[in-house]
Amino acid sequence: MAGPSQHAHWSSRWTFLLAAVGSAVGLGNIWKFPYEAGEGGGGAFVLIYLAFVFIVGLPVLIAELSMGRRGQLSPIGSMAKIAKEEGRSKLWGLVGWSGVVGGFIVISFYSVVGGWVLAYLLKAPMGFAGYDAALSTQTFGAFITDPVNPIVAHFGFLLITVLIVARGVQGGLEKAVTFLMPALFVLLIGLMLYSAITADFAAALNFLFNPDWGKLNVNTVLQALGLAFFSLSLALGSIMTYGSYLTKDMNIPRSAVTIAAADSGVALLAGLAIFPIVFAYGLNPGQSVGLVFTTLPIAFGQMPGGAIIGTLFFFLLTVAAVTSAISLLEPAVSYVEERTGIDRKKVSVYIAIAAFALGTLSAWGQPGNILGTVKVFGLDFMSLKDYITNNIMMPLGGMFIALFVGWFVSRKNMMDELAMEDGTFKLWYFLVRFVCPVAIGAVFVSIIYNTIIAS
Ligand code: TRP
């Protein structure tokens, strides 16, 4: 087993932050947030999501980073080791297990959507001239129902990811994020301004921020909770693994606030770039997974230099997706490496191949594709994997992490690890001990209650 001395570390606070933001910011913000906000009816969903990010997600983010740093092992190893040190049950290692398995399930469909982005990147240099609502919807539909191209793209996306993971934290990852994450941020601001000027910004603002509470129900609340975890990369080991590469001198709470702010900021920017186009062109905000792929090309087709800007956008979105995908693969890779001592390069390749195989179900499971009619619990394969991870494993995993640090690790050890000011520590401690478990528990209890009442 690799001892702590061999465990890799970030070369600076800045590269850690970029990598953590790189993990957090990805398809969750630019692809998932807008379409789920669209399906969830807009403002009320968005506000609940933001509340979950800061009240539940941020405290769990701090908890995960500190557990990773203290454990200095994979999520499974760290959880088991800390539980042992604190005289607690070995079963806490299961939280790490659920993370590693959940991360694997997510990467299997995440890389399918990553492949869609890659395919659009290849299309973008030719421009999207003449794209209107009908043409962009039709183009996207034709692509995802093709039996071959989405699989090839899915493979390509995983290949890029694995090439970076195989080179280890400092070799691959840090380089990818140092320039490209900030560039994405700037480009999104530009796109938002373009949409604001040329399309229906007022309608977008109204949709995203004017809550219609009548549109909320417990299921959309659970969806928003899951999305908060998903977009922050929580509860599936990514953040805990990144925490394990941290050195003691870094300030975890401050970094966590930066990560959460950048993460929700990018989601809102994406929404503000996309929804003006949705409303100006009469697209359906509730159209699900195709939303970003059917809206932005319309804008690229019309703006001056759209071929270049569109290419740049899909390039940076690919980078954002890859930096997230890396962090999804990383927990499983670090666990297998730690347990077996097999070379990291080989492990990365094996796990990527397995993820590719499982991912073909999500690619072919799109409506209209060869497995498009296969439904499990009424869901296609991509939605099914998303539901299991987003709506079950992440909220529950987050709840157990909060319970662990709040009730099973000694208060003094948490204080030493986090080195926060007294007042801030008390607030955080209150959130992880009471607010997070109660909020998550309440959402689950209402779902169960509703299901029983409904049936
Ligand atoms: N947060 C990433 C995104 O928004 C996806 C991601 C990376 C993730 N690591 C994770 C989601 C761990 C859940 C758990 O695209």
Side-chain angles (χ1 to χ4, degrees):
M1 214 199 270
S5 55
Q6 288 150 294
H7 201 77
H9 285 108
W10 304 106
S11 52
S12 75
R13 176 182 137 81
W14 178 235
T15 46
F16 157 68
L17 258 188
L18 284 169
V21 171
S23 165
V25 173
L27 298 172
N29 311 64
I30 295 168
W31 163 72
K32 210 168 196 276
F33 167 81
Y35 89 72
E36 289 191 357
E39 287 178 330
F45 180 92
V46 173
L47 294 179
I48 295 272
Y49 160 76
L50 289 175
F52 279 140
V53 165
F54 287 97
I55 299 171
V56 178
L58 180 57
V60 172
L61 177 59
I62 294 175
E64 255 198 63
L65 285 172
S66 64
M67 289 301 97
R69 179 169 71 181
R70 176 167 163 192
Q72 293 283 305
L73 294 169
S74 71
I76 299 174
S78 291
M79 285 300 291
K81 175 175 159 193
I82 297 167
K84 192 167 169 218
E85 285 169 5
E86 298 283 337
R88 303 297 178 179
S89 162
K90 270 168 87 176
L91 286 176
W92 284 105
L94 287 176
V95 176
W97 266 108
S98 142
V100 169
V101 173
F104 177 73
I105 299 176
V106 173
I107 185 70
S108 78
F109 70 84
Y110 198 89
S111 53
V112 170
V113 182
W116 299 351
V117 175
L118 210 51
Y120 268 69
L121 169 61
L122 297 181
K123 211 192 276 292
M126 291 168 294
F128 295 96
Y131 269 58
D132 56 9
L135 181 57
S136 70
T137 308
Q138 187 207 332
T139 308
F140 179 71
F143 176 71
I144 61 164
T145 51
D146 185 276
V148 179
N149 292 339
I151 300 285
V152 175
H154 167 46
F155 184 83
F157 182 85
L158 270 171
L159 185 67
I160 298 173
T161 306
V162 87
L163 285 176
I164 298 181
V165 174
R167 299 186 58 194
V169 209
Q170 299 199 347
L173 188 50
E174 292 195 356
K175 293 212 180 77
V177 292
T178 310
F179 300 105
L180 300 174
M181 292 313 296
L184 175 68
F185 205 79
V186 172
L187 187 76
L188 271 177
I189 293 178
L191 285 178
M192 180 200 72
L193 292 175
Y194 182 83
S195 279
I197 294 165
T198 59
D200 198 343
F201 200 55
L205 285 178
N206 185 44
F207 181 74
L208 285 172
F209 298 112
N210 190 2
D212 175 355
W213 299 106
K215 288 194 177 144
L216 272 192
N217 60 49
V218 281
N219 293 305
T220 43
V221 172
L222 176 62
Q223 185 87 359
L225 175 64
L227 180 64
F229 280 104
F230 189 100
S231 77
L232 287 170
S233 299
L234 294 177
L236 299 189
S238 293
I239 287 292
M240 208 179 281
T241 310
Y242 278 15
S244 76
Y245 305 135
L246 275 176
T247 50
K248 289 284 172 203
D249 53 350
M250 292 206 218
N251 183 320
I252 287 182
R254 203 171 349 120
S255 310
V257 171
T258 312
I259 297 166
D263 189 59
S264 44
V266 169
L268 291 178
L269 279 178
L272 288 172
I274 288 169
F275 281 103
I277 303 171
V278 170
F279 294 115
Y281 290 89
L283 285 146
N284 170 14
Q287 65 172 282
S288 185
V289 297
L291 188 66
V292 64
F293 298 96
T294 55
T295 48
L296 292 180
I298 299 178
F300 298 139
Q302 295 181 351
M303 63 177 68
I308 295 171
I309 295 172
T311 307
L312 194 60
F313 172 77
F314 283 110
F315 170 70
L316 293 173
L317 185 55
T318 305
V319 174
V322 168
T323 56
S324 301
I326 290 168
S327 77
L328 282 163
L329 214 51
E330 192 62 38
V333 171
S334 79
Y335 177 68
V336 176
E337 192 190 17
E338 173 179 299
R339 283 311 291 262
T340 61
I342 300 175
D343 176 50
R344 148 171 220 111
K345 293 201 173 66
K346 284 200 188 121
V347 177
S348 323
V349 172
Y350 298 151
I351 295 177
I353 291 174
F356 172 73
L358 186 62
T360 54
L361 291 178
S362 318
W364 282 327
Q366 289 307 307
N369 210 318
I370 52 181
L371 298 177
T373 53
V374 184
K375 300 272 189 272
V376 186
F377 300 120
L379 299 171
D380 63 65
F381 283 115
M382 187 178 289
S383 313
L384 177 71
K385 291 181 198 169
D386 186 40
Y387 194 90
I388 293 172
T389 49
N390 194 88
N391 294 23
I392 301 171
M393 294 176 92
M394 283 179 226
L396 285 183
M399 180 162 98
F400 281 112
I401 290 167
L403 288 172
F404 183 66
V405 300
W407 299 93
F408 295 87
V409 175
S410 85
R411 183 187 158 104
K412 181 175 174 305
N413 287 344
M414 281 319 305
M415 283 184 92
D416 290 348
E417 188 68 45
L418 290 172
M420 288 192 222
E421 273 165 40
D422 221 36
T424 333
F425 181 82
K426 285 207 177 103
L427 174 64
W428 173 79
Y429 209 50
F430 177 74
L431 291 172
V432 285
R433 295 191 94 188
F434 299 103
V435 177
C436 300
V438 170
I440 299 170
V443 177
F444 273 98
V445 171
S446 1
I447 297 260
I448 293 165
Y449 181 79
N450 269 23
T451 324
I452 292 168
I453 296 284
S455 60

